[in-house]
Amino acid sequence: MHPNRILLSIALVIVALVVQVSVLARLQLPGAVPDLLLLTVLGLALVYGHTGGALIGFAAGLLADLAPPADHAVGRYALVLCVIGYAAGLTKPENGQHRSATVPMLVVAGAALSSTLLYAGVGALVGDTAARHVGLGLLLTTATIYDLLLAPFTVPVVMALARRTAHDPLADTAGSAGDGARTYGGLLGSGGIGGLRGRTGRLGGRAGAARRGGLAARMSRSGTGRIKGVKRL
């Protein structure tokens, strides 16, 4: 990844984690906690693609696993966000931008459901039964509602910031070189240097004809004067 993308991703992930732990987790909302970190990973993955989404998701999840007051096994949320980031990055279109907000909102809804299921599934494998006590249905419903309500205020902002670092200088240079090659190719074609040579040849021919015509006219006038002088004598 480009250094600018890495710095932006680190800054956004840290801000999202701080806000989630210090503000959202203390709201005491029923069911799940609004997952601002998940929405940040989704916004970055929708711009950077599946590879960047997987890397950012893993790093963000690992940071969340280590940040207090984490009470689960280290690597659990890193695995979940890595998979979610990879899957969300696969929805990135070829032109790099979504034409409408429908696809990002569907991605958010699917990620909210999938992340909750994956988190509960991994927890069941390691012996964490907290999801059973709260109720998996309540967690799925509240996580989806909270994330969808929070997504319009976070995902577009994250995507807009990410697009500013999405331009690859090497690609831009290659594009400029390609434009230059096409320009030189046009000059080498029939309408380029060949046409320029043709026009130069025609101009040279006209100039030569004009010079020859002027020389002939001068010779004609000089000859006529001499003949008239002889007749007068």
Side-chain angles (χ1 to χ4, degrees):
M1 291 180 66
H2 196 271
N4 291 337
R5 299 183 184 184
I6 297 175
L7 294 176
L8 178 63
S9 301
I10 292 174
L12 292 177
V13 166
I14 291 177
V15 171
L17 182 61
V18 170
V19 173
Q20 180 170 329
V21 172
S22 61
V23 178
L24 298 179
R26 297 185 180 184
L27 295 178
Q28 300 298 326
L29 296 174
V33 176
D35 201 340
L36 184 61
L37 189 61
L38 172 65
L39 297 178
T40 302
V41 172
L42 291 178
L44 294 173
L46 289 172
V47 178
Y48 294 156
H50 58 279
T51 303
L55 294 175
I56 294 172
F58 179 80
L62 186 60
L63 185 62
D65 289 334
L66 297 175
D71 56 353
H72 54 267
V74 176
R76 179 177 173 183
Y77 202 45
L79 175 62
V80 172
L81 287 187
C82 180
V83 174
I84 296 299
Y86 180 84
L90 293 176
T91 64
K92 175 188 174 183
E94 294 181 357
N95 59 359
Q97 294 185 1
H98 295 275
R99 296 182 178 179
S100 65
T102 304
V103 175
M105 293 304 292
L106 291 177
V107 171
V108 170
L113 293 172
S114 302
S115 62
T116 304
L117 289 174
L118 286 175
Y119 189 81
V122 175
L125 293 177
V126 296
D128 186 0
T129 59
R132 297 180 182 178
H133 299 291
V134 178
L136 185 59
L138 179 61
L139 287 176
L140 291 174
T141 304
T142 54
T144 304
I145 293 175
Y146 296 155
D147 290 345
L148 286 176
L149 291 176
L150 193 59
F153 304 100
T154 56
V155 176
V157 176
V158 173
M159 293 179 67
L161 293 174
R163 286 194 185 101
R164 295 186 177 184
T165 61
H167 299 289
D168 190 357
L170 295 178
D172 295 340
T173 304
S176 301
D179 295 338
R182 287 192 294 271
T183 301
Y184 292 131
L187 289 176
L188 292 174
S190 59
I193 290 179
L196 182 60
R197 289 177 178 175
R199 290 192 294 271
T200 304
R202 289 194 295 271
L203 291 176
R206 292 174 184 174
R211 287 194 297 270
R212 290 193 297 270
L215 180 59
R218 287 194 297 273
M219 291 178 64
S220 177
R221 287 195 297 271
S222 300
T224 302
R226 287 193 295 271
I227 292 172
K228 288 181 179 180
V230 171
K231 286 183 178 180
R232 284 196 296 270
L233 291 173

Coordinates of all heavy atoms in Angstrom, one line a residue, residues 65-113:
D65 N -8.6 -6.0 19.7 CA -8.3 -7.1 20.6 C -7.4 -6.7 21.8 O -7.5 -7.3 22.9 CB -7.8 -8.3 19.8 CG -8.8 -8.9 18.9 OD1 -10.0 -8.8 19.2 OD2 -8.4 -9.5 17.9
L66 N -6.5 -5.8 21.5 CA -5.5 -5.5 22.5 C -5.9 -4.3 23.3 O -5.4 -4.1 24.4 CB -4.1 -5.2 21.8 CG -3.5 -6.3 21.1 CD1 -2.2 -5.9 20.3 CD2 -3.2 -7.5 22.0
A67 N -6.8 -3.5 22.8 CA -7.2 -2.3 23.5 C -8.1 -2.6 24.7 O -9.1 -3.5 24.6 CB -7.9 -1.3 22.6
P68 N -7.9 -2.0 25.9 CA -8.9 -2.2 27.0 C -10.2 -1.6 26.7 O -10.3 -0.6 26.0 CB -8.1 -1.6 28.2 CG -7.2 -0.6 27.5 CD -6.9 -1.1 26.2
P69 N -11.3 -2.1 27.2 CA -11.4 -3.2 28.1 C -11.8 -4.5 27.4 O -12.8 -5.1 27.6 CB -12.6 -2.8 29.0 CG -13.5 -2.0 28.1 CD -12.6 -1.3 27.1
A70 N -10.9 -5.0 26.5 CA -11.2 -6.2 25.7 C -11.2 -7.4 26.7 O -10.3 -7.5 27.5 CB -10.1 -6.4 24.7
D71 N -12.2 -8.2 26.5 CA -12.3 -9.4 27.4 C -12.4 -10.7 26.6 O -13.0 -11.7 27.1 CB -13.6 -9.2 28.3 CG -14.8 -9.0 27.5 OD1 -14.7 -8.8 26.3 OD2 -15.9 -9.0 28.1
H72 N -11.9 -10.7 25.4 CA -11.9 -11.9 24.6 C -10.5 -12.3 24.1 O -9.6 -11.5 24.4 CB -12.9 -11.7 23.4 CG -12.5 -10.5 22.6 ND1 -13.0 -9.2 22.8 CD2 -11.6 -10.3 21.6 CE1 -12.5 -8.4 21.9 NE2 -11.6 -9.0 21.2
A73 N -10.4 -13.4 23.5 CA -9.1 -13.9 23.0 C -8.6 -13.0 22.0 O -9.3 -12.5 21.1 CB -9.3 -15.3 22.5
V74 N -7.2 -12.8 22.0 CA -6.6 -11.9 21.1 C -6.6 -12.6 19.7 O -6.3 -13.8 19.6 CB -5.1 -11.7 21.5 CG1 -4.4 -10.9 20.5 CG2 -5.1 -10.9 22.9
G75 N -6.9 -11.9 18.7 CA -7.0 -12.4 17.3 C -8.4 -12.7 16.9 O -8.6 -12.9 15.7
R76 N -9.3 -12.7 17.8 CA -10.7 -13.1 17.5 C -11.4 -12.0 16.6 O -11.9 -12.3 15.5 CB -11.5 -13.2 18.8 CG -13.0 -13.6 18.6 CD -13.6 -13.8 19.9 NE -15.1 -14.0 19.8 CZ -15.9 -14.1 20.9 NH1 -15.4 -14.1 22.1 NH2 -17.2 -14.3 20.7
Y77 N -11.3 -10.8 17.0 CA -11.9 -9.7 16.2 C -11.0 -9.4 14.9 O -11.5 -8.9 13.9 CB -12.1 -8.5 17.0 CG -13.2 -7.5 16.5 CD1 -14.4 -8.0 16.0 CD2 -12.9 -6.2 16.4 CE1 -15.3 -7.2 15.5 CE2 -13.9 -5.3 15.9 CZ -15.1 -5.8 15.5 OH -16.1 -5.0 15.0
A78 N -9.7 -9.6 15.0 CA -8.8 -9.4 13.9 C -9.2 -10.4 12.7 O -9.3 -10.0 11.6 CB -7.4 -9.7 14.3
L79 N -9.6 -11.6 13.1 CA -10.0 -12.6 12.1 C -11.3 -12.1 11.4 O -11.5 -12.2 10.2 CB -10.2 -14.0 12.7 CG -10.7 -15.1 11.8 CD1 -9.8 -15.3 10.6 CD2 -10.9 -16.4 12.5
V80 N -12.2 -11.7 12.3 CA -13.6 -11.2 11.8 C -13.4 -10.1 10.8 O -14.0 -10.1 9.7 CB -14.5 -10.9 12.9 CG1 -15.8 -10.3 12.4 CG2 -14.8 -12.1 13.8
L81 N -12.7 -9.0 11.2 CA -12.6 -7.8 10.4 C -11.7 -8.1 9.1 O -11.9 -7.4 8.1 CB -12.0 -6.7 11.2 CG -12.9 -6.0 12.2 CD1 -12.2 -4.8 12.8 CD2 -14.2 -5.6 11.6
C82 N -10.8 -9.0 9.2 CA -10.0 -9.4 8.0 C -10.9 -10.0 7.0 O -10.8 -9.6 5.8 CB -8.9 -10.3 8.4 SG -7.8 -10.9 7.0
V83 N -11.8 -10.9 7.4 CA -12.7 -11.5 6.4 C -13.7 -10.5 5.9 O -14.0 -10.5 4.7 CB -13.4 -12.7 7.1 CG1 -14.5 -13.3 6.2 CG2 -12.4 -13.8 7.5
I84 N -14.2 -9.7 6.8 CA -15.2 -8.7 6.4 C -14.6 -7.6 5.4 O -15.2 -7.2 4.4 CB -15.8 -8.0 7.6 CG1 -16.6 -9.0 8.4 CG2 -16.7 -6.8 7.2 CD1 -17.8 -9.6 7.7
G85 N -13.4 -7.2 5.7 CA -12.7 -6.2 4.9 C -12.4 -6.8 3.5 O -12.5 -6.1 2.5
Y86 N -12.0 -8.0 3.4 CA -11.7 -8.7 2.2 C -13.0 -8.8 1.3 O -13.0 -8.5 0.1 CB -11.1 -10.1 2.4 CG -10.8 -10.8 1.1 CD1 -9.6 -10.6 0.4 CD2 -11.7 -11.7 0.6 CE1 -9.3 -11.3 -0.7 CE2 -11.4 -12.4 -0.6 CZ -10.2 -12.2 -1.2 OH -9.9 -12.9 -2.4
A87 N -14.1 -9.3 2.0 CA -15.3 -9.4 1.2 C -15.9 -8.1 0.8 O -16.4 -8.0 -0.3 CB -16.4 -10.1 2.1
A88 N -15.8 -7.1 1.6 CA -16.3 -5.7 1.2 C -15.5 -5.2 0.1 O -16.0 -4.5 -0.8 CB -16.3 -4.8 2.4
G89 N -14.2 -5.4 0.1 CA -13.3 -4.9 -1.0 C -13.6 -5.5 -2.4 O -13.3 -5.0 -3.4
L90 N -14.2 -6.7 -2.4 CA -14.6 -7.4 -3.6 C -15.7 -6.7 -4.4 O -15.9 -6.9 -5.6 CB -15.0 -8.8 -3.4 CG -13.9 -9.8 -2.9 CD1 -14.4 -11.2 -2.6 CD2 -12.8 -9.9 -3.9
T91 N -16.4 -5.8 -3.6 CA -17.5 -5.1 -4.3 C -17.1 -3.8 -4.9 O -17.9 -3.1 -5.5 CB -18.6 -4.8 -3.2 OG1 -18.1 -3.9 -2.3 CG2 -19.1 -6.0 -2.5
K92 N -15.8 -3.5 -4.9 CA -15.3 -2.3 -5.5 C -15.4 -2.4 -7.0 O -14.9 -3.3 -7.6 CB -13.8 -2.1 -5.1 CG -13.2 -0.9 -5.8 CD -11.7 -0.8 -5.5 CE -11.0 0.2 -6.3 NZ -9.5 0.3 -6.1
P93 N -16.0 -1.4 -7.7 CA -16.2 -1.5 -9.1 C -14.8 -1.2 -9.8 O -13.9 -0.7 -9.2 CB -17.2 -0.4 -9.4 CG -17.1 0.6 -8.3 CD -16.7 -0.3 -7.1
E94 N -14.8 -1.4 -11.1 CA -13.5 -1.2 -11.8 C -13.1 0.2 -11.9 O -11.9 0.5 -11.9 CB -13.7 -1.8 -13.3 CG -13.8 -3.3 -13.3 CD -14.0 -3.9 -14.7 OE1 -13.9 -3.0 -15.6 OE2 -14.0 -5.1 -14.9
N95 N -14.1 1.1 -12.0 CA -13.8 2.5 -12.1 C -13.4 3.1 -10.7 O -13.1 4.3 -10.6 CB -14.9 3.3 -12.7 CG -16.2 3.2 -12.0 OD1 -16.3 2.5 -10.9 ND2 -17.2 3.9 -12.5
G96 N -13.6 2.4 -9.6 CA -13.2 2.8 -8.3 C -14.3 3.5 -7.5 O -14.1 3.8 -6.4
Q97 N -15.4 3.8 -8.2 CA -16.5 4.6 -7.5 C -17.8 3.9 -7.7 O -18.1 3.4 -8.8 CB -16.5 6.0 -8.0 CG -15.3 6.9 -7.6 CD -15.5 8.3 -8.0 OE1 -16.5 8.7 -8.6 NE2 -14.4 9.1 -7.8
H98 N -18.6 3.9 -6.6 CA -20.0 3.3 -6.7 C -20.9 4.4 -7.3 O -20.8 5.6 -6.9 CB -20.5 2.9 -5.4 CG -19.7 1.7 -4.8 ND1 -20.0 0.4 -5.2 CD2 -18.6 1.7 -4.0 CE1 -19.1 -0.4 -4.5 NE2 -18.3 0.3 -3.8
R99 N -21.8 4.0 -8.2 CA -22.7 5.0 -8.8 C -23.8 5.5 -7.9 O -24.3 6.5 -8.0 CB -23.3 4.4 -10.0 CG -22.3 4.0 -11.1 CD -23.0 3.5 -12.4 NE -22.0 3.2 -13.4 CZ -22.3 2.7 -14.6 NH1 -23.6 2.4 -14.9 NH2 -21.4 2.4 -15.5
S100 N -24.1 4.7 -6.9 CA -25.2 5.1 -5.9 C -24.8 4.6 -4.5 O -23.8 3.8 -4.4 CB -26.5 4.5 -6.4 OG -26.5 3.1 -6.3
A101 N -25.6 4.9 -3.6 CA -25.3 4.5 -2.2 C -26.0 3.2 -1.8 O -25.9 2.7 -0.7 CB -25.9 5.6 -1.2
T102 N -26.6 2.6 -2.8 CA -27.3 1.3 -2.5 C -26.3 0.2 -2.2 O -26.5 -0.5 -1.2 CB -28.2 0.9 -3.7 OG1 -29.1 1.9 -4.1 CG2 -28.9 -0.4 -3.4
V103 N -25.3 0.1 -3.0 CA -24.3 -1.0 -2.8 C -23.6 -0.8 -1.4 O -23.5 -1.8 -0.6 CB -23.3 -1.1 -3.9 CG1 -22.2 -2.1 -3.6 CG2 -24.0 -1.5 -5.2
P104 N -23.1 0.4 -1.1 CA -22.4 0.5 0.2 C -23.4 0.2 1.4 O -23.0 -0.4 2.4 CB -22.0 2.0 0.2 CG -21.8 2.3 -1.2 CD -22.9 1.6 -1.9
M105 N -24.7 0.6 1.3 CA -25.6 0.3 2.4 C -25.9 -1.2 2.5 O -26.0 -1.7 3.6 CB -26.9 1.1 2.2 CG -26.7 2.6 2.3 SD -26.0 3.1 3.9 CE -27.3 2.7 5.0
L106 N -26.0 -1.8 1.4 CA -26.1 -3.3 1.4 C -24.9 -4.0 2.0 O -25.0 -5.0 2.7 CB -26.4 -3.8 0.0 CG -27.7 -3.5 -0.6 CD1 -27.8 -4.0 -2.1 CD2 -28.9 -4.0 0.2
V107 N -23.7 -3.4 1.7 CA -22.5 -4.0 2.2 C -22.4 -3.8 3.7 O -22.0 -4.7 4.5 CB -21.3 -3.3 1.6 CG1 -20.0 -3.7 2.3 CG2 -21.1 -3.7 0.1
V108 N -22.9 -2.6 4.2 CA -22.9 -2.3 5.6 C -23.9 -3.3 6.3 O -23.6 -3.9 7.4 CB -23.4 -0.9 5.9 CG1 -23.7 -0.7 7.4 CG2 -22.3 0.1 5.4
A109 N -25.1 -3.5 5.8 CA -26.0 -4.4 6.4 C -25.5 -5.8 6.4 O -25.6 -6.5 7.5 CB -27.4 -4.4 5.6
G110 N -24.9 -6.3 5.3 CA -24.4 -7.6 5.3 C -23.2 -7.8 6.2 O -23.0 -8.8 6.9
A111 N -22.4 -6.7 6.3 CA -21.2 -6.8 7.2 C -21.6 -6.8 8.7 O -21.0 -7.5 9.5 CB -20.3 -5.6 7.0
A112 N -22.7 -6.1 9.0 CA -23.2 -6.1 10.4 C -23.7 -7.5 10.8 O -23.4 -8.0 11.9 CB -24.3 -5.1 10.6
L113 N -24.4 -8.1 9.9 CA -24.9 -9.5 10.2 C -23.7 -10.5 10.2 O -23.6 -11.3 11.1 CB -25.9 -9.9 9.2 CG -27.2 -9.1 9.2 CD1 -28.1 -9.5 8.0 CD2 -28.0 -9.3 10.5

